[in-house]
Amino acid sequence: MDEDEQEEWEVECIVDHCQRSNSTEYLVKWIGFSEVYNTWEPEHHLTNCQEKLRQYKLTLNRTGRKRKAASPPGGCSREGLRRWEIQLNKDRGHDAAIRVENNVDNVEPPSEFVYVTRNILGHDVPEPEEGVVIGCSCHGDCHQSKTCCPQTLHGSDFPYTEDGLIQLEQGKAVVECNTKCTCDESCHSRVVQKGRQVEVLVFRTDNGRGWGLKALVDIKAKQFVTEYVGEVVTTDEAEERGKLYDEQGATYLMDLDFNEDKEAQFSIDGKFYSNVSRFINHSCNPNLIAYGCWIGNPDLRLPRIGLFAVKDIAAGEELSIDYVMSPAVPNQPAVSTNTNTPPATPLSKRKSPGRQRKRIRCRCGTKNCRTFLF
């Protein structure tokens, strides 16, 4: 092979593996080619990219769990997609239905992905202190109460309208009623905790962005869509994982950086454990925005992440967020002096200020595209 050919087929990263007969094969992504051209290669073909192979194996080891290898090479049949769709709907709990579609290629569903409906706490992440959770004593409609959780116990504004639409400015904290409250499930301050009410489609994009997510029903502006769920890890762990994900040209980490006076201590990693939010792609003109939500957990460092529509979204439209979200909204009201008030700073995808990130080209296709994600 001459020098030009060697450059043309340089390994970008290893994205999967499987056991075939008595050997292990690896799914390779090549530099300069989309995922459509990924190929399965035996390990002895990877002698010139041992560092990539080491990084891939390190990724598996760092998850701290056993991982089921992919199915043998040969592509994913429609029956395989149907089985995945059935499994997703078994695992989604009380959330709305999920459909799966791939009219682009024969790429297998992500074998390392485990569907969960709540965050998984990783190593060195504290459990919520149930004993210090306080609830309201409302009866009936909390929306009209002046002593409900958001307003009195946390010094925060009531987050929702009577129709369940978010009414807070971007960057302000969402506080919902919890299991200690006397109000019932009809309370207007219980939205994120009720889960996703919007039916969605996990689909294969046709421009190299991997899997994406579409709405199957019309969504109103300010309506709750889904929670960003994953494995909560320390920032040190997130930094190490981020280096590996950068090599793969992928982004799964969200910093829980709501406190503008302190650096984030934890991040949510959606690669291995997540829900449909794992498949939401970036856009420089997104139709979803993230809010930090505190629901029965007084630890200000560990909000849940609610994704809400910023405008009306039509059925069939792709759902998207901005992976590099803007800082707090200018001129927003000052944070209450109540020490139980969650700070009002919006989260972002992992910033990784301590290292130079690999530049990832944006493929959102919007008129205001920034060309690169980071």
Side-chain angles (χ1 to χ4, degrees):
M1 181 180 293
D2 62 32
E3 186 174 336
D4 290 339
E5 289 177 326
Q6 192 170 11
E7 175 65 20
E8 182 179 2
W9 292 100
E10 184 180 352
V11 172
E12 179 174 321
C13 63
I14 297 170
V15 296
D16 211 339
H17 76 281
C18 71
Q19 197 69 33
R20 190 174 193 181
S21 300
N22 296 322
S23 65
T24 302
E25 294 195 2
Y26 296 89
L27 185 60
V28 174
K29 185 178 187 304
W30 305 96
I31 288 179
F33 293 87
S34 73
E35 293 177 341
V36 176
Y37 297 96
N38 290 0
T39 60
W40 290 94
E41 304 290 341
E43 186 164 355
H44 68 266
H45 283 183
L46 306 177
T47 55
N48 294 326
C49 59
Q50 288 301 305
E51 179 60 21
K52 305 287 187 184
L53 187 60
R54 186 192 70 80
Q55 290 174 352
Y56 174 75
K57 292 179 178 179
L58 180 60
T59 302
L60 300 183
N61 292 336
R62 294 196 68 86
T63 63
R65 66 182 179 86
K66 292 183 178 179
R67 174 185 176 282
K68 184 179 179 181
S71 301
C76 185
S77 64
R78 293 195 177 276
E79 181 58 32
L81 286 178
R82 176 60 180 163
R83 287 196 299 269
W84 188 38
E85 180 179 282
I86 291 172
Q87 187 61 52
L88 291 177
N89 282 285
K90 285 182 179 179
D91 296 338
R92 64 179 168 83
H94 297 294
D95 288 355
I98 305 168
R99 284 180 49 203
V100 176
E101 179 180 275
N102 183 358
N103 298 322
V104 175
D105 52 36
N106 62 351
V107 169
E108 295 274 353
S111 58
E112 76 276 13
F113 169 61
V114 177
Y115 195 100
V116 294
T117 57
R118 292 291 300 272
N119 286 328
I120 303 283
L121 300 185
H123 183 62
D124 288 337
V125 179
E127 294 277 354
E129 298 182 42
E130 294 291 340
V132 299
V133 175
I134 302 174
C136 69
S137 56
C138 301
H139 294 282
D141 187 4
C142 281
H143 190 266
Q144 301 299 325
S145 174
K146 300 300 182 183
T147 59
C148 189
C149 292
Q151 295 158 313
T152 297
L153 300 178
H154 296 277
S156 179
D157 294 332
F158 200 89
Y160 306 113
T161 67
E162 293 187 19
D163 295 326
L165 304 180
I166 190 80
Q167 60 182 2
L168 300 178
E169 297 177 25
Q170 177 192 353
K172 296 202 71 175
V174 173
V175 179
E176 294 194 0
C177 288
N178 58 71
T179 56
K180 300 290 185 179
C181 298
T182 56
C183 56
D184 58 28
E185 290 299 310
S186 65
C187 170
H188 292 118
S189 186
R190 298 179 184 269
V191 173
V192 173
Q193 63 191 267
K194 289 184 177 180
R196 177 176 51 82
Q197 307 297 310
V198 175
E199 294 186 9
V200 293
L201 170 72
V202 178
F203 75 104
R204 193 72 180 166
T205 65
D206 60 4
N207 63 346
R209 293 179 298 127
W211 297 96
L213 192 70
K214 288 182 180 179
L216 287 178
V217 296
D218 292 340
I219 300 173
K220 295 180 180 179
K222 301 186 178 183
Q223 181 179 341
F224 171 67
V225 177
T226 191
E227 181 178 355
Y228 190 86
V229 166
E231 182 183 4
V232 183
V233 298
T234 64
T235 50
D236 288 342
E237 175 67 17
E239 184 70 12
E240 292 304 313
R241 294 188 184 190
K243 294 175 185 177
L244 302 175
Y245 298 161
D246 281 356
E247 289 297 321
Q248 299 172 4
T251 306
Y252 301 101
L253 293 159
M254 273 195 176
D255 284 342
L256 300 182
D257 55 353
F258 283 83
N259 192 336
E260 57 188 358
D261 298 323
K262 297 180 181 179
E263 291 186 3
Q265 296 184 41
F266 303 100
S267 299
I268 295 181
D269 182 358
K271 179 175 175 62
F272 299 103
Y273 299 95
S274 193
N275 58 8
V276 293
S277 63
R278 182 192 194 271
F279 305 106
I280 297 176
N281 281 313
H282 163 83
S283 174
C284 296
N285 184 25
N287 50 23
L288 301 180
I289 190 69
Y291 283 80
C293 307
W294 281 262
I295 310 169
N297 185 359
D299 194 333
L300 302 185
R301 303 170 300 170
L302 293 168
R304 291 163 64 174
I305 306 304
L307 301 179
F308 294 80
V310 297
K311 54 189 174 183
D312 290 340
I313 301 172
E317 186 176 343
E318 182 174 359
L319 301 174
S320 60
I321 59 175
D322 188 343
Y323 285 3
V324 186
M325 298 176 191
S326 61
V329 176
N331 303 319
Q332 67 177 344
V335 181
S336 168
T337 56
N338 185 332
T339 56
N340 288 325
T341 304
T345 303
L347 98 169
S348 64
K349 282 283 185 171
R350 181 150 185 79
K351 299 182 181 70
S352 302
R355 64 184 168 85
Q356 183 65 41
R357 295 202 61 172
K358 178 180 178 181
R359 303 204 76 183
I360 301 175
R361 184 170 292 277
C362 180
R363 299 177 181 176
C364 71
T366 60
K367 292 182 179 179
N368 62 328
C369 179
R370 298 190 295 263
T371 307
F372 292 97
L373 269 62
F374 306 105

